């Protein structure tokens, strides 16, 4: 077939102006012309493949002649399929192949227009969405968390105070950091203060600083966390535990953007965004007279609630795999994953400690596991004893999951009722023996920092 007889010059000009790989085919599916994008993708010049069947030039898992082209000829309408093509460099490129009929004065197609659209980036984005959340440090694919992520740009674009609520271990601090990292304040400090970790006498100095001589032992001026966070964000976690006297001072600091350090006579001005977090019901505390209503209103300008893990469908398995990958690498252990029985135990548990508890469970399992995969015997005992998954007999008279746990404990030289404290103490002792008493080497072997090892040694009276 002569090109000039079937395809007008205007069509060829349109072909070269298409931003995707494209070709003109005759009604039998043979190549008439290709644009530069398709030449680059296939590695063939248009004139070299003129008259060659299209499915031999655009080589895909889905035969063009069988699927797309036959569909167009049979129905007279455009047809499309997602597949992949073999590129000039032998890579398999994910594509969407679309064929449309071209008619010039008659009911039947005088030519076919073929598009080959590279969708590799779309596939990568889909994979990332399934694997992890688009928020720094937070892994999730649940619909409940996606709603939270959609609010992130709104929370990051403003300097309004933000109240993050949710049960213990849901990741309130991670969300606060993500909001800070996405805001204009990202290049300035992010300071976290636990309002329930210090007594009132120390907390005021920790937050607002003090002047020299303000109290016994105040030998020098102390800036306080608000001043250290200048230009950035301060995250007040467990705000529900803030004493009433300090609630008044915090309210004044929020309203005036200034405060008096403890014992000082000069007011300090600060430019800080405040994010507060709590697992408590602040409105109930207000009704009980334990939290100021005016401070609650001042903090509750923006509000987001993080759902508990039990409400995040599909996230237990996703998070368990994510934590295991991190911990196995840190511990230097070749652990491939969880057995189906262990995954069933994890799926059935309610996680009152939420994501933090799940991570601790995986860390425990990874620490005691000496196999390629984590089984029920490697999980903390309370998961099974608490009814997360009943022990059951296996075929052939073998004992069930409870006995598997006993065998795992016995294999490690521990009693069947060993607690995590017993296991951790044994792991530290073994690491110290293997490293000939070197705490630095033992810490690296266990995947901990030196300070973490020292703290755990003191806890187990091994110092």
């Amino acid at each position: 077939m002569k090109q000039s007889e079937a395809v007008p010059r205007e069509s060829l000009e349109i072909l070269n102006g298409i931003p995707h790989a494209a070709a003109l085919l005759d009604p039998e599916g043979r190549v008439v012309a290709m644009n530069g994008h398709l030449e680059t993708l296939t590695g063939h010049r248009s004139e070299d493949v003129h008259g060659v069947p299209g499915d031999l030039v655009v080589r895909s898992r889905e035969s063009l002649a069988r699927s797309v082209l036959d569909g167009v000829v049979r129905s007279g309408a455009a047809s499309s399929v997602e597949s992949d093509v073999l590129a000039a460099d032998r890579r398999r490129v994910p594509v969407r192949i679309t064929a449309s009929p071209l008619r010039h004065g008659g009911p039947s197609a005088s030519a076919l227009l073929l598009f080959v659209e590279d969708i590799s980036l779309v596939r990568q984005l889909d994979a990332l969405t399934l694997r992890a959340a688009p928020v720094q440090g937070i892994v999730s694919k649940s619909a409940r968390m996606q709603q939270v992520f959609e609010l992130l740009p709104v929370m990051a674009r403003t300097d309004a105070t933000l109240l993050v609520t949710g049960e213990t271990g849901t990741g309130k601090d991670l969300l606060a950091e993500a909001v800070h990292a996405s805001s204009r304040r990202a290049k300035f400090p992010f300071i976290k203060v636990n309002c329930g970790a210090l007594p009132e006498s120390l907390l005021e100095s920790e937050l607002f600083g003090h002047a020299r001589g303000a109290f016994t032992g105040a030998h020098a001026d102390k800036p306080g966390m608000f001043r250290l966070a200048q230009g950035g964000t301060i995250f007040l976690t467990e705000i529900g535990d803030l004493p009433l006297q300090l609630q008044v001072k915090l309210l004044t600091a929020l309203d005036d953007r200034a405060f008096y350090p403890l014992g000082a006579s000069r007011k300090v001005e600060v430019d800080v965004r405040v994010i507060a977090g709590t697992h408590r019901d602040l409105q109930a505390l207000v009704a009980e007279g334990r939290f100021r209503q005016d401070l609650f209103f001042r903090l509750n300008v923006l509000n987001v609630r993080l759902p508990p893990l039990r409400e995040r469908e599909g996230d237990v398995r996703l998070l368990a795999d994510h934590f295991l990958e991190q911990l196995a690498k840190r511990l230097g252990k070749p652990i491939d994953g969880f057995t189906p029985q262990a995954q069933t135990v994890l799926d059935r548990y309610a996680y009152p400690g939420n994501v933090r508890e799940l991570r601790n469970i995986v860390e425990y399992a990874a620490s005691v596991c000496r196999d390629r995969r984590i089984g029920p015997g490697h999980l903390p005992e309370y998961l099974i004893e608490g009814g997360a998954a009943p022990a059951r007999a296996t075929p052939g008279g073998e004992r069930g999951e409870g006995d598997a746990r006993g065998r795992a404990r016995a294999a490690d030289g521990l009693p069947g009722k060993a607690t995590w404290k017993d296991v951790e103490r044994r792991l530290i002792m073994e690491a110290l023996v293997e490293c000939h008493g070197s705490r630095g080497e033992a810490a690296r072997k266990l995947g901990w920092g030196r300070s973490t090892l020292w703290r755990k040694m003191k806890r187990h009276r091994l110092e």
Side-chain angles (χ1 to χ4, degrees), residues 416-435:
K417 294 293 183 181
T419 63
W420 169 238
K421 184 177 180 181
D422 300 326
V423 175
E424 189 174 64
R425 190 176 194 276
R426 176 63 175 270
L427 288 171
I428 294 173
M429 292 174 63
E430 288 180 351
L432 288 170
V433 170
E434 291 176 14
C435 297

Side-chain angles (χ1 to χ4, degrees), residues 248-260:
V248 177
K249 191 163 186 176
L250 176 59
L251 179 62
T252 302
L254 290 173
D255 287 338
D256 299 343
R257 293 185 173 272
F259 55 85
Y260 288 97

Side-chain angles (χ1 to χ4, degrees), residues 189 191 207-210 221-231 234 259 261 268-270 272:
I191 302 293
L207 286 173
F208 303 107
H210 63 250
D221 291 347
K222 179 178 179 178
M225 293 302 180
F226 267 89
R227 291 177 69 182
L228 292 177
Q230 177 67 22
I234 187 167
F259 55 85
V268 173
E269 295 184 356
V270 290
V272 173

Side-chain angles (χ1 to χ4, degrees), residues 159-411:
D159 280 342
T161 53
L162 168 64
L163 180 62
V164 184
T165 61
E167 296 179 8
T168 298
T170 50
K172 295 183 288 294
D173 53 342
L174 291 179
L175 181 65
E177 285 192 66
V179 171
H180 170 75
S182 303
S183 72
R184 66 177 182 84
R185 297 179 179 270
K187 60 183 178 181
F188 297 103
F190 175 84
I191 302 293
K192 176 181 174 181
V193 181
N194 190 327
C195 298
L198 294 172
E200 181 178 351
S201 57
L202 295 179
L203 185 57
E204 181 176 3
S205 173
E206 188 73 11
L207 286 173
F208 303 107
H210 63 250
R212 179 181 178 183
F215 51 84
T216 303
H219 302 300
D221 291 347
K222 179 178 179 178
M225 293 302 180
F226 267 89
R227 291 177 69 182
L228 292 177
Q230 177 67 22
T233 303
I234 187 167
F235 177 49
L236 304 177
T237 182
E238 301 307 334
I239 192 69
D241 295 331
L242 190 67
L244 279 170
Q245 181 179 344
L246 287 184
Q247 291 178 28
V248 177
K249 191 163 186 176
L250 176 59
L251 179 62
T252 302
L254 290 173
D255 287 338
D256 299 343
R257 293 185 173 272
F259 55 85
Y260 288 97
L262 188 63
S265 58
R266 181 177 297 179
K267 184 177 286 190
V268 173
E269 295 184 356
V270 290
D271 174 23
V272 173
R273 192 213 180 152
V274 174
I275 301 178
T278 183
H279 70 283
R280 299 183 182 277
D281 184 345
L282 291 187
Q283 289 181 299
L285 293 180
V286 169
E288 296 169 7
R290 296 164 56 193
F291 200 85
R292 293 181 62 94
Q293 187 177 49
D294 48 4
L295 179 58
F296 171 70
F297 291 147
R298 189 66 179 78
L299 293 173
N300 198 37
V301 178
L302 295 176
N303 184 300
V304 62
R305 175 184 176 273
L306 290 180
L309 185 55
R310 60 184 175 275
E311 296 178 9
R312 293 169 52 173
E313 185 177 357
D315 277 1
V316 169
R317 187 160 302 194
L318 182 72
L319 286 164
D321 290 340
H322 172 71
F323 292 144
L324 181 59
E325 181 181 356
Q326 290 182 328
L327 293 164
K329 185 181 299 183
R330 196 181 76 185
L331 296 171
K333 289 188 171 184
I335 304 176
D336 296 333
F338 299 87
T339 65
Q341 295 83 359
Q343 191 63 63
T344 298
V345 174
L346 293 176
D347 289 342
R348 292 182 182 179
Y349 185 59
Y351 298 100
N354 294 291
V355 179
R356 184 184 295 123
E357 183 181 14
L358 175 59
R359 191 189 188 284
N360 291 340
I361 289 170
V362 176
E363 182 175 10
Y364 170 93
S367 298
V368 303
C369 179
R370 297 186 178 181
D371 302 320
R372 297 288 299 187
R373 302 178 75 189
I374 291 176
H378 303 119
L379 298 175
E381 196 162 332
Y382 72 88
L383 292 184
I384 293 178
E385 289 184 345
R392 53 194 177 118
T394 55
E398 295 179 1
R399 288 174 290 183
E401 295 171 355
D403 291 327
R405 176 174 305 283
R407 292 196 299 274
R409 296 281 186 260

Side-chain angles (χ1 to χ4, degrees), residues 124-150 152 170 174-175 178 306 312 314-315 318-319 322:
Q124 291 173 16
L125 292 174
D126 287 345
L128 287 172
T129 300
L130 291 174
R131 283 169 39 209
V135 173
Q136 177 182 350
I138 305 178
V139 177
S140 177
K141 65 176 184 179
S142 73
R144 293 289 304 276
M145 287 300 292
Q146 295 304 317
Q147 295 173 3
V148 174
F149 299 152
E150 289 172 3
L152 181 65
T170 50
L174 291 179
L175 181 65
L306 290 180
R312 293 169 52 173
D315 277 1
L318 182 72
L319 286 164
H322 172 71

